[in-house]
């Protein structure tokens, strides 16, 4: 039994280590070899597509930043609002007087972001679609840089690069920002291979012809949309020059609810695109390393702990078991005692973030298994 426990521990730990350490290091190396994208001399029509719910604080800035562009092609902004209860609809109606190419559709009943995107894109006419969020603000050169890689006919999707805005004193927001920047480094490396596994949904672009409707009840639309591009044999790449600003929430409860919702959507996509894990080549390598193993990490952590516990008759595994228990206790200490007192311990904050993320994944899986198929979202989660 100790031998079985040792194998359980080392195999599970090795897979987690590969996903969180080895693969990111490989992608950082690839990122350093980034290709320079030449400015495009072609300016295809672009439709910017945005679903919004109760975004009165940012919707005007979002729309103005979308139209304040150096892009030379024809541009429209398509906005769908999901039964807003604030002034979002009124603000958009006022902005339509200023921007004739602002197309607005009001949904009177809560519909959910995926279905709103399906319906808006069903009426889109441009060759390229830019999908974005209300709190992602473009620079004048963002669209030109985002469109440039499409000069290569093999490219079907392009990821923009994010500049996160956080409160200087908010440690939760800073931890989220650090995690997000690490994720974007990975995506930049994957882009060198032509297979970014799931877009970061605040701003990215695809060819309209490659869009496939998001299935009912799916939560993580950006992952689904980019994976469909890859499934059809096209590349997804990274445009580091296509920068935009994104507001990042520093509310721990909001972030946890968001991760739980995303966790459920992750497993939906894993079941839907599972066959791609066995495609030969870079796509399967990136899918396994960046996503599938991450989503399986809660199971791998439990397996590793169980294995160490079984093998704890040997001193080394007894120490490992005690260390793993100490990590969990330290994260709880940070959550329940140190953080409320305003004390900051960087290592504990990272540990807490890691365990919280994996707990949210477990709860997201539970939501999926119990048949929670709500597709709507809020600007607080």
């Amino acid at each position: 039994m100790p031998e079985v426990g040792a194998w359980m521990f080392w195999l599970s730990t090795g897979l987690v280590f590969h996903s969180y350490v080895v693969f990111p290091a490989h992608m950082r190396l690839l990122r350093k070899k980034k290709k320079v994208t030449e400015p495009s001399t072609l300016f295809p029509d672009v439709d910017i597509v945005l679903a919004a719910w109760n975004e009165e604080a940012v919707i005007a800035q979002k729309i103005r930043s979308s139209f304040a562009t150096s892009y030379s092609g024809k541009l429209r902004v398509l906005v769908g609002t999901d039964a807003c209860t604030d002034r979002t609809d009124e603000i958009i109606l006022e902005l339509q007087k200023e921007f004739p190419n602002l197309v607005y559709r009001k949904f009177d009943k809560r519909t959910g972001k995926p279905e709103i995107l399906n319906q808006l894109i069903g009426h889109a006419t441009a060759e390229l679609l830019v999908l974005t969020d209300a709190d992602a603000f473009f620079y004048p050169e963002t669209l030109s840089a985002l469109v440039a890689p499409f000069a290569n006919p093999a490219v079907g999707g392009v990821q923009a690069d994010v500049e996160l805005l956080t409160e200087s004193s908010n440690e939760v927001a800073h931890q989220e920002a650090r995690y997000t920047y690490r994720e974007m480094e990975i995506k930049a490396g994957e882009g060198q291979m032509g297979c970014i596994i799931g877009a970061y949904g605040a701003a990215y672009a695809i060819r309209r012809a490659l869009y496939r409707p998001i299935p009912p009840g799916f939560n993580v639309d950006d992952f689904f949309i980019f994976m469909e591009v890859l499934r059809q044999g096209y590349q997804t790449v990274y445009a580091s020059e296509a920068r935009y600003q994104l507001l990042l929430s520093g509310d721990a409860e909001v972030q946890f609810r968001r991760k739980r919702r995303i966790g459920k959507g992750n497993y939906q996509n894993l079941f839907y695109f599972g066959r791609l894990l066995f495609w030969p080549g870079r796509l399967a390598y990136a899918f396994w390393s960046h996503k599938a193993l991450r989503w399986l990490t809660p199971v791998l952590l439990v397996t590793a702990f169980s294995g160490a516990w079984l093998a704890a008759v040997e001193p080394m595994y007894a120490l490992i078991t005690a260390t793993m228990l100490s990590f969990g206790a330290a994260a709880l200490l940070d959550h329940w005692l140190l953080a409320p007192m305003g004390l900051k311990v960087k290592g504990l904050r990272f540990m807490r973030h890691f365990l919280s993320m994996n707990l949210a994944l477990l709860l997201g899986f539970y939501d999926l298994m119990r048949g929670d198929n709500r597709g709507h979202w809020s600007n607080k989660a």
Side-chain angles (χ1 to χ4, degrees):
M1 190 65 74
E3 275 190 19
V4 173
W7 275 104
M8 290 168 61
F9 173 78
W10 289 113
L11 178 60
S12 300
T13 303
L15 292 173
V16 173
F17 185 79
H18 170 77
S19 184
Y20 278 92
V21 179
V22 176
F23 182 72
H26 182 199
M27 293 302 102
R28 281 193 293 272
L29 287 174
L30 287 181
R31 179 174 177 261
K32 292 178 181 178
K33 301 176 183 178
K34 69 178 183 179
K35 305 165 189 172
V36 177
T37 303
E38 295 294 329
S40 179
T41 55
L42 299 174
F43 298 98
D45 294 350
V46 172
D47 282 343
I48 297 176
V49 184
L50 166 66
W53 181 77
N54 284 5
E55 299 286 4
E56 64 178 2
V58 296
I59 194 66
Q61 183 180 354
K62 171 62 182 183
I63 291 172
R64 291 186 187 283
S65 82
S66 299
F67 282 113
T69 178
S70 61
Y71 186 67
S72 300
K74 181 181 176 183
L75 174 69
R76 294 194 307 165
V77 176
L78 282 61
V79 182
T81 58
D82 197 14
C84 296
T85 57
D86 65 357
R87 295 188 60 253
T88 300
D89 295 295
E90 298 170 40
I91 294 169
I92 296 172
L93 285 171
E94 284 298 314
L95 288 169
Q96 274 191 310
K97 300 173 185 177
E98 185 177 347
F99 300 108
N101 283 350
L102 173 57
V103 179
Y104 162 58
R105 180 173 177 187
K106 179 180 179 181
F107 290 77
D108 293 320
K109 294 181 179 180
R110 290 303 300 274
T111 304
K113 181 180 179 182
E115 183 55 27
I116 289 178
L117 292 179
N118 285 341
Q119 295 201 34
L120 290 178
I121 292 172
H123 292 89
T125 57
E127 179 183 343
L128 301 181
L129 304 174
V130 173
L131 294 99
T132 186
D133 290 341
D135 52 0
F137 308 128
F138 295 165
Y139 290 108
E141 64 276 10
T142 301
L143 288 179
S144 297
L146 190 58
V147 165
F150 287 105
N152 179 353
V155 170
V158 181
Q159 173 70 64
D161 189 44
V162 66
E163 178 184 325
L164 297 170
L165 304 177
T166 62
E167 295 179 11
S168 59
S169 60
N170 192 300
E171 184 60 29
V172 172
H174 285 189
Q175 190 64 53
E176 290 296 329
R178 285 189 285 268
Y179 178 79
T180 300
Y181 282 133
R182 288 194 295 269
E183 283 294 292
M184 298 308 282
E185 282 185 339
I186 293 172
K187 290 185 184 298
E190 290 173 339
Q192 294 298 101
M193 301 191 299
C195 55
I196 295 176
I197 307 298
Y200 186 67
Y204 63 102
I206 67 166
R207 297 185 189 274
R208 181 172 59 87
L210 301 180
Y211 182 81
R212 297 294 178 267
I214 305 158
F218 262 50
N219 282 61
V220 185
D221 48 271
D222 46 11
F223 186 93
F224 176 88
I225 291 167
F226 248 30
M227 289 302 284
E228 277 292 341
V229 170
L230 289 170
R231 188 188 61 78
Q232 293 173 74
Y234 286 79
Q235 297 177 15
T236 52
V237 301
Y238 199 90
S240 57
E241 301 85 5
R243 294 182 63 79
Y244 65 97
Q245 293 183 323
L246 178 68
L247 299 172
L248 193 63
S249 171
D251 187 314
E253 185 179 346
V254 167
Q255 289 291 354
F256 186 81
R257 289 202 307 269
R258 183 180 70 86
K259 288 185 176 69
R260 179 172 179 170
R261 176 180 58 81
I262 291 173
K264 174 187 152 187
N266 288 340
Y267 292 115
Q268 289 174 320
N269 278 296
L270 181 61
F271 296 150
Y272 192 92
F273 291 107
R275 62 192 180 279
L276 299 187
L277 290 167
F278 304 100
W279 280 25
R282 296 172 176 179
L283 174 56
Y285 167 63
F287 194 2
W288 271 111
S289 301
H290 187 190
K291 296 299 182 180
L293 290 178
R294 292 276 182 99
W295 299 341
L296 295 173
T297 292
V299 176
L300 293 173
L301 290 175
V302 171
T303 303
F305 178 77
S306 301
W309 183 271
L310 287 172
V313 291
E314 298 181 22
M316 182 180 72
Y317 292 101
L319 178 61
I320 289 171
T321 302
T323 302
M324 294 175 78
L325 288 171
S326 299
F327 281 169
L332 290 175
L333 177 68
D334 180 64
H335 179 73
W336 294 109
L337 182 60
L338 299 184
M341 293 172 62
L343 299 176
K344 299 178 182 178
V345 182
K346 188 174 180 180
L348 292 184
R349 220 35 70 85
F350 171 81
M351 198 180 308
R352 173 184 166 188
H353 182 269
F354 177 77
L355 293 176
S356 172
M357 182 170 59
N358 282 283
L359 175 60
L361 273 172
L362 274 178
L363 292 174
F365 182 76
Y366 166 75
D367 291 340
L368 180 64
M369 291 298 97
R370 71 186 178 94
D372 180 356
N373 289 319
R374 290 173 293 177
H376 59 259
W377 85 110
S378 81
N379 57 1
K380 294 184 180 180

